[in-house]
Amino acid sequence: MIVLSSQHKEADLVAALDRGADDYVEKPFRAAELLARIRSVLRRSVKAQGEEAVYQFGDLIVDILDHSVMRGGESIRLTPTEFEILSLLVRNGGRVVSYQRFADSLSDANHRKSRQALRASIWSLRQKVEGDPNNPRILLTEERIGYRLANDPSRSPS
């Protein structure tokens, strides 16, 4: 929780922090500063849950908080559903994510109902993050189970 306040007294700041606030920003505030403070609180929250904010697999970098993906230093634009799929895979660190787990986790109703819609999104995602989408080394299919992220994308899957 970040408190935004027009109060400039130290006692107000101390009281807010003592009541559980993570940060305190006095009005008027700058939008960029507030966004940076929000990202900071989110990073601490993610780490407290045992997660990372940024995941790296070879030259692929996924920043969960900034909703950004880079490969080889270049930004990759993903749809919200593609980012949601990739986030779920990176958070599971090489473990298989079942079709049912995708259905339970994805916000897009089409993907909750249809494996074919999920397959189409995986294919689209592979087009954007794989060097050779026809020979995936990062986003791997586990037949009849689901998908997983390669443990080491620099090696060929066995």
Side-chain angles (χ1 to χ4, degrees):
M1 172 176 46
I2 299 175
V3 173
L4 301 176
S5 177
S6 59
Q7 302 298 317
H8 299 281
K9 298 176 188 165
E10 182 180 10
D12 295 321
L13 175 130
V14 171
L17 294 172
D18 283 344
R19 288 188 186 117
D22 295 298
D23 205 344
Y24 187 95
V25 179
E26 295 177 352
K27 293 179 184 178
F29 58 87
R30 295 179 301 267
E33 177 187 359
L34 178 60
L35 291 173
R37 289 176 183 270
I38 290 169
R39 285 191 301 271
S40 177
V41 168
L42 288 173
R43 270 192 302 276
R44 288 193 306 267
S45 173
V46 165
K47 286 183 181 179
Q49 295 175 19
E51 290 189 54
E52 295 294 323
V54 178
Y55 295 86
Q56 184 165 359
F57 296 90
D59 65 348
L60 181 69
I61 300 171
V62 180
D63 189 321
I64 300 295
L65 298 180
D66 286 341
H67 284 250
S68 66
V69 178
M70 296 187 75
R71 179 146 195 252
E74 292 187 28
S75 182
I76 299 174
R77 289 184 53 92
L78 300 181
T79 67
T81 299
E82 290 167 347
F83 188 81
E84 210 173 343
I85 289 168
L86 187 57
S87 295
L88 187 56
L89 289 168
V90 298
R91 285 180 164 148
N92 280 278
R95 293 184 307 271
V96 176
V97 178
S98 69
Y99 292 118
Q100 186 59 49
R101 177 97 185 274
F102 279 109
D104 294 342
S105 299
L106 296 177
S107 58
D108 184 334
N110 291 332
H111 291 82
R112 288 195 307 264
K113 296 177 185 175
S114 167
R115 281 190 189 181
Q116 190 57 35
L118 176 61
R119 284 187 193 108
S121 289
I122 292 284
W123 173 249
S124 177
L125 188 55
R126 281 179 174 151
Q127 298 294 312
K128 296 175 182 180
V129 302
E130 294 281 359
D132 177 5
N134 293 312
N135 184 24
R137 299 178 72 150
I138 299 171
L139 303 173
L140 306 177
T141 301
E142 295 295 330
E143 293 297 326
R144 298 187 193 117
I145 301 171
Y147 299 95
R148 70 178 175 88
L149 213 57
N151 291 323
D152 181 3
S154 63
R155 293 188 326 201
S156 296
S158 50

